[in-house]
Amino acid sequence: MTVPTHVAIIMDGNGRWAAQKGWPRIKGHKAGVQVVERILEAASDAGVRHLSLYAFSTENWKRPPLEVGALMALLRMYLRMLVHQLARKGIRFHHLGALQGMPTGVQADMRALEEATAKNTGMTFHLAVNYGSRLELAQAARRCVEDGLSAEEINETSLGARLWTAGIPDVDLLIRTSGEHRISNFLLWQSAYAELYMTDLLWPDFSPADLRAALEDYTQRERRFGGI
Ligand code: IPE
Ligand code: IPE
Ligand code: MG
């Protein structure tokens, strides 16, 4: 079985999962966090080297303040708890997204977890919070200018090196839950040749067996990258 090096997941459907049960949306987010723990472990066990999870987009700030506040509080609780699980599995943590614009407590927790896991040599877990591909590309362009690059020096390599994903291989497999067939501003550049896998399952119902089914599906794909 060919294991994709980089798996990215758009974890969608927490709100609908809760609504189906007549519960407030935040209960769906709480259930979603528990699924993250299991999927982390399953991906690491399967031999995935990079796992990128989309937790909060630059557009998600549009949600009601009560939901945003609850999500940020949940995130901080989760980040603090995560250090033990990551240590056990030798997983390195990396934040994907703009630090600026997030509550300072979240910024500090992100940095602390990156530092605490920097020496781990297993899978890298990229958590996308306050992430948007368009913002990432715009800031990479700005950095090219700040670094004094000439027009001729701006190319796929120099721009790619200024993305938050610098040094990380492109996405091989992009999974989205909840039955939506869209990318929602996630890793647009990095997914240029990713295999897409959409499932109707809502994120809180997504299990390690479902991840393994997606990995299995990936092995059946024929990737061409524009060749023959
Ligand atoms: C995904 O679940 C998690 C976040 C975007 C924070 P949603 O909250 O988008 O759930 P639905 O799509 O409304 O069901
Ligand atoms: C995408 O889900 C963002 C995350 C999973 C964090 P959304 O629920 O925000 O996406 P749309 O609005 O349905 O496209
Ligand atoms: Mg959604």
Side-chain angles (χ1 to χ4, degrees):
M1 179 164 145
T2 346
V3 180
T5 303
H6 187 170
V7 176
I9 309 183
I10 302 172
M11 311 183 287
D12 197 18
N14 292 349
R16 277 164 281 174
W17 182 88
Q20 279 175 3
K21 296 176 155 51
W23 294 343
R25 292 176 58 85
I26 190 67
K27 270 192 106 164
H29 296 314
K30 282 188 183 148
V33 168
Q34 284 167 6
V35 171
V36 170
E37 286 169 36
R38 291 197 286 272
I39 295 305
L40 254 181
E41 205 130 327
S44 163
D45 290 347
V48 171
R49 296 298 302 163
H50 295 271
L51 179 70
S52 297
L53 300 184
Y54 204 9
F56 194 89
S57 73
T58 46
E59 287 74 33
N60 287 147
W61 298 107
K62 290 184 209 158
R63 295 188 179 200
L66 211 63
E67 180 171 348
V68 171
L71 275 168
M72 290 298 143
L74 195 61
L75 178 65
R76 290 199 68 183
M77 243 161 48
Y78 173 62
L79 289 173
R80 276 150 190 238
M81 191 200 69
L82 197 58
V83 69
H84 305 292
Q85 192 192 6
L86 298 188
R88 196 157 38 80
K89 287 273 166 189
I91 299 173
R92 211 149 58 97
F93 178 82
H94 176 233
H95 168 234
L96 264 185
L99 267 184
Q100 212 184 6
M102 291 196 301
T104 50
V106 177
Q107 294 185 23
D109 289 351
M110 291 279 197
R111 285 222 174 93
L113 197 54
E114 282 183 345
E115 277 165 26
T117 63
K119 292 205 170 68
N120 291 349
T121 57
M123 184 177 82
T124 307
F125 169 31
H126 308 274
L127 186 63
V129 179
N130 197 21
Y131 178 89
S133 267
R134 288 179 169 185
L135 177 64
E136 180 184 37
L137 286 161
Q139 67 85 39
R142 195 165 50 232
R143 276 203 217 166
C144 286
V145 173
E146 285 167 358
D147 292 345
L149 266 63
S150 66
E152 295 73 41
E153 287 170 326
I154 299 179
N155 52 40
E156 293 178 23
T157 308
S158 59
L159 197 72
R162 286 165 179 80
L163 298 173
W164 293 314
T165 51
I168 303 166
D170 280 349
V171 175
D172 297 300
L173 174 64
L174 176 65
I175 299 172
R176 181 171 187 141
T177 59
S178 91
E180 308 296 353
H181 293 197
R182 56 177 174 260
I183 311 288
S184 302
N185 206 12
F186 192 43
L187 299 174
L188 300 181
W189 169 289
Q190 299 84 345
S191 297
Y193 272 100
E195 294 297 325
L196 307 181
Y197 184 90
M198 312 291 178
T199 165
D200 287 341
L201 288 168
L202 301 173
W203 177 251
D205 290 327
F206 191 79
S207 70
D210 298 313
L211 176 72
R212 286 190 290 273
L215 296 178
E216 184 56 47
D217 190 275
Y218 173 84
T219 64
Q220 313 300 322
R221 307 284 181 98
E222 189 201 336
R223 301 183 78 188
R224 294 195 188 156
F225 300 99
I228 49 167

